[in-house]
Amino acid sequence: MLNLLLAYRGRPSDDLERRSDRPGFDAAGTLLLALTLAAYALAMTTGRDHFAPRP
């Protein structure tokens, strides 16, 4: 219960002035992160935990 009270008190207000100063969604960064994570997951599953070509 205390954590809900602290979260409510600590959250930022929903002023329209402050909302216009916030940066927008970073689509390029999100795409780069997704591609990097996919490449890492593929390297770890096909390379059997080491970076070597498959036999």
Side-chain angles (χ1 to χ4, degrees):
M1 186 68 169
L2 179 63
N3 57 353
L4 292 175
L5 176 66
L6 292 174
Y8 180 76
R9 288 188 58 202
R11 69 179 175 84
S13 63
D14 290 334
D15 294 338
L16 291 177
E17 296 173 8
R18 289 185 54 183
R19 195 172 278 198
S20 65
D21 293 338
R22 293 171 51 185
F25 180 71
D26 184 18
T30 303
L31 180 63
L32 181 63
L33 177 64
L35 291 174
T36 303
L37 290 174
Y40 177 74
L42 183 63
M44 288 294 110
T45 55
T46 60
R48 291 188 173 49
D49 296 334
H50 62 288
F51 295 104
R54 293 183 79 184

